[in-house]
Amino acid sequence: MGITEKIKRNIDMTSWKDKIPVNYIYTVGIAGEKFFREIKDNGKIVGTKCEKCEVTFVPPKIYCERCFSRLENYIDVGTKGTVHTFTICYENVDGTKKEEPTIIAMVKIDGTDGGLVHWLGEIDSKDVEIGMSVEAIFKAKEEREGSILDIKYFKPT
Amino acid sequence: MGMRRVAIVGAGLTKFVRRAQETGKELAYEAAKMALDSCELTLEDVGCVSLGTAPDAFDGVHMKGEYLSDGAGGWRKPVMRPYVGGGTGVFNAIHGWFHVASGLFDICLVVAEEKMSSCYPHPAGAFLTIFDHTTEQPLKPNLIWIFALEMRRYMETYGISHRDIALVSVKNKKNAMDHPCAQIPQEITVDDVLNSEVLADPVHRLDISPTSDGAAALVLVAEHIAKKITDKPVWIDGVGWNVDTAYWATRDLCYPRYVEKAARMAYEMAGIKEPHKEIQVAEPYDPFDYKELHHMEGLLLCGKGEAPRLTAEGVTARDGNLPTCPSGGLLGVGNPIAASGVMKICEIFWQLRGEAGKRQVPGKPKVGLAQAWGDLMQVGTVIVMKV
């Protein structure tokens, strides 16, 4: 026995089976509270701007990571963006095949230095292109709960 | 030794709370910003960042160092994350000291953060997997019961009563009444401690520090910078750390030898020959009341088994000859793991500069010490500071 022996299954050796049963509730934070409240209540996307560095953060931050200024000015940045890059995903997290592939895109929010990673919808995967204009589609107001999933997906404009 | 002298010139601390709305990054920012503002430096002046934070499992972000880095001022800077469990806070400052003492950087921002409240129903769940997965985890150990084992060994070996130990909790929670960042400042009695809920005999609820969210930060600079920007530099003149075996059941739990070894390393570097006479104010690590006593002995601030007597005689009170945890310690101020070690260094920094306000110990102390402890009851980290 030992490292030179080829072992096909852990379970063939004496072992203790266990799991790590830990759960989390993550607060969205000070900036996150503004960001998600605007999405939920008004269907708007907000960011914060550092006037000194001329950088607009989306999602907003309470600080500029470049100069450490405190940022308190939340601005409506609109709901339109540009596909910066994308992928088409065929497998679920557990490795099983998805019934329908999903399109994941990194969307740069226009006029800002930030962006959101989200799904693309109302488009066939073979029609997706880098640089295409998209906009956020929100769930109906009564279904929104203050999460990133309040945005259903981005769709081509 | 070929090392440069390093000074602490700024400190920052958030309030410690059970549940912060702020994210870990936001907490780190508040402390880091306060530390920089306190010495009128900006992020641009910072050469590197040392970021201390305890198990990833608390925040539930399994690359926590990198995740927190921008809040800690690490944007496009050399950032390193040291980690030795509960000893991380003091170790983080030692790690920052290396960066400056070595000559590699003139200014290092040291930031420590912990947001334990994300993990539910209780962050103790994140400790389940620190134990050996085959010999210990099947027994469903938890932190409190291993400390109960250690506390009982300590009591048994030296004939110490729970009443003797509870005095530490009474003292520290009371000291915390004067700390604006404190989570559970309280005036309690020894009977309150003894009558509080038994968690794992002999450990009762009021023997233990709370779980907390919070952050703390320091600015460390080289001597030539310190002399330029402040009249009151606090020098880090000794550092020490040591790790014992994780086979904790093979150790005699009544005495923390690894703390002694870490302390001796720091004392030798700082030229301290008789620590019980030369150290004038100390922040030994006190996540449990008995640990302050245990650590005073490991730090050679008194003989083995003598710490309870010093406590009972008032020697360790804020106006005693050897004040310990004048901040209120983890028992009173709170215990966001890595941040609490840095909180202790902040306290000694303010005490030696005479800036501790209502918490100020008398006699203008010149030499102080901060210590933390962690992993499987196996690591000691020590810093000796002077003005």
Side-chain angles (χ1 to χ4, degrees):
Chain A
M1 281 299 277
I3 203 158
T4 56
E5 201 140 328
K6 186 166 182 182
I7 295 161
K8 289 193 179 123
R9 299 188 309 168
N10 280 354
I11 205 159
D12 293 339
M13 295 170 290
T14 308
S15 47
W16 173 260
K17 245 190 251 175
D18 217 328
K19 59 188 172 191
I20 304 183
V22 186
N23 299 293
Y24 294 88
I25 296 173
Y26 301 97
T27 62
V28 297
I30 303 299
E33 194 69 37
K34 299 265 192 194
F35 179 66
F36 288 111
R37 191 155 292 284
E38 281 298 328
I39 287 178
K40 181 173 183 241
D41 293 348
N42 303 317
K44 284 184 175 169
I45 297 173
V46 296
T48 47
K49 183 171 184 184
C50 176
E51 300 292 344
K52 190 172 157 205
C53 300
E54 297 187 337
V55 175
T56 302
F57 295 99
V58 180
K61 287 172 178 279
I62 63 163
Y63 53 88
C64 172
E65 63 185 10
R66 304 183 181 200
C67 71
F68 246 31
S69 295
R70 186 179 297 278
L71 306 181
E72 288 165 319
N73 194 17
Y74 291 80
I75 52 174
D76 180 353
V77 295
T79 58
K80 293 193 166 65
T82 306
V83 173
H84 192 65
T85 182
F86 68 95
T87 182
I88 298 155
C89 190
Y90 295 93
E91 283 189 353
N92 294 307
V93 174
D94 60 4
T96 56
K97 209 84 176 160
K98 282 181 187 287
E99 284 183 22
E100 284 293 322
T102 48
I103 311 165
I104 311 284
M106 180 173 164
V107 177
K108 288 277 188 185
I109 302 299
D110 294 346
T112 77
D113 302 277
L116 298 172
V117 174
H118 220 296
W119 294 306
L120 293 190
E122 299 183 39
I123 184 171
D124 196 288
S125 58
K126 62 181 183 299
D127 297 329
V128 181
E129 285 177 358
I130 287 178
M132 72 191 303
S133 293
V134 293
E135 68 176 320
I137 300 301
F138 293 84
K139 286 180 180 166
K141 189 166 180 184
E142 59 277 13
E143 291 172 31
R144 298 204 287 258
E145 49 190 13
S147 98
I148 197 68
L149 301 184
D150 289 352
I151 298 174
K152 279 202 286 192
Y153 47 74
F154 282 78
K155 73 160 198 179
T157 54
Chain B
M1 192 170 50
M3 298 277 194
R4 301 197 297 178
R5 205 174 184 200
V6 179
I8 305 175
V9 296
L13 187 63
T14 69
K15 188 166 164 51
F16 288 178
V17 294
R18 173 65 182 90
R19 286 178 194 83
Q21 181 184 11
E22 284 84 352
T23 62
K25 286 170 186 261
E26 290 172 343
L27 291 169
Y29 168 73
E30 296 296 353
K33 177 77 172 165
M34 181 179 165
L36 285 172
D37 288 351
S38 76
C39 54
E40 297 179 350
L41 291 177
T42 67
L43 194 58
E44 207 176 335
D45 301 316
V46 172
C48 68
V49 173
S50 181
L51 172 58
T53 186
D56 287 359
F58 283 141
D59 293 52
V61 178
H62 290 145
M63 45 162 267
K64 201 163 52 154
E66 297 79 357
Y67 166 75
L68 292 169
S69 61
D70 53 72
W75 183 71
R76 292 192 185 159
K77 287 188 191 293
V79 178
M80 282 180 90
R81 173 191 180 186
Y83 175 53
V84 283
T88 298
V90 171
F91 193 60
N92 189 24
I94 294 175
H95 187 256
W97 174 86
F98 275 119
H99 282 74
V100 178
S102 66
L104 206 52
F105 299 97
D106 283 339
I107 302 180
C108 177
L109 180 59
V110 171
V111 185
E113 174 277 353
E114 217 72 64
K115 185 168 163 88
M116 300 172 75
S117 65
S118 299
C119 186
Y120 82 95
H122 193 281
F127 287 112
L128 291 176
T129 49
I130 68 172
F131 297 94
D132 186 282
H133 46 68
T134 318
T135 59
E136 292 162 7
Q137 282 189 34
L139 306 172
K140 299 291 170 213
N142 67 48
L143 273 197
I144 295 172
W145 68 248
I146 69 168
F147 296 134
L149 297 174
E150 189 178 67
M151 179 168 161
R152 194 183 294 284
R153 269 301 302 168
Y154 178 60
M155 292 165 73
E156 189 69 26
T157 306
Y158 302 113
I160 295 163
S161 74
H162 196 177
R163 298 194 81 83
D164 299 334
I165 289 173
L167 282 170
V168 175
S169 192
V170 172
K171 167 179 75 77
N172 291 3
K173 286 178 191 293
K174 180 149 190 281
N175 282 350
M177 307 274 287
D178 296 322
H179 203 309
C181 296
Q183 180 179 346
I184 44 167
Q186 281 176 307
E187 264 195 89
I188 55 167
T189 64
V190 165
D191 285 327
D192 290 333
V193 178
L194 267 50
N195 293 332
S196 65
E197 183 189 355
V198 187
L199 300 178
D201 191 56
V203 176
H204 291 232
R205 167 89 52 206
L206 289 175
D207 290 308
I208 314 183
S209 59
T211 58
S212 315
D213 293 353
L218 302 164
V219 181
L220 269 50
V221 304
E223 186 167 12
H224 67 283
I225 305 275
K227 290 191 166 156
K228 237 188 285 180
I229 65 172
T230 180
D231 298 332
K232 296 195 283 184
V234 175
W235 304 101
I236 299 179
D237 277 353
V239 300
W241 69 100
N242 200 277
V243 186
D244 206 332
T245 173
Y247 282 96
W248 56 279
T250 66
R251 283 188 259 135
D252 186 342
L253 300 174
C254 70
Y255 184 72
R257 272 177 212 290
Y258 48 93
V259 172
E260 181 186 326
K261 290 185 88 95
R264 286 188 184 280
M265 177 178 163
Y267 292 151
E268 191 181 333
M269 197 182 294
I272 303 259
K273 306 252 180 324
E274 295 182 284
H276 64 288
K277 290 186 187 160
E278 294 175 63
I279 300 292
Q280 295 163 316
V281 55
E283 281 277 340
Y285 205 62
D286 62 324
F288 288 66
D289 44 12
Y290 82 95
K291 291 306 295 187
E292 171 169 318
L293 304 168
H294 217 217
H295 290 149
M296 283 170 61
E297 294 169 17
L299 291 165
L300 310 172
L301 297 177
C302 61
K304 291 179 186 177
E306 283 181 9
R309 183 176 55 77
L310 296 189
T311 308
E313 289 172 357
V315 173
T316 61
R318 201 180 273 154
D319 58 357
N321 275 338
L322 176 56
T324 55
C325 295
S327 65
L330 280 47
L331 288 161
V333 185
N335 188 10
I337 310 290
S340 54
V342 173
M343 178 276 285
K344 287 184 168 289
I345 298 173
C346 291
E347 181 68 11
I348 298 298
F349 173 76
W350 288 318
Q351 289 287 350
L352 297 184
R353 281 165 60 116
E355 294 175 352
K358 282 203 270 180
R359 305 189 307 285
Q360 186 65 49
V361 305
K364 298 200 168 95
K366 299 261 182 286
V367 184
L369 169 152
Q371 175 249 336
W373 156 92
D375 286 342
L376 257 180
M377 310 192 285
Q378 71 187 111
V379 63
T381 50
V382 178
I383 277 188
V384 175
M385 294 153 66
K386 292 185 188 172
V387 286

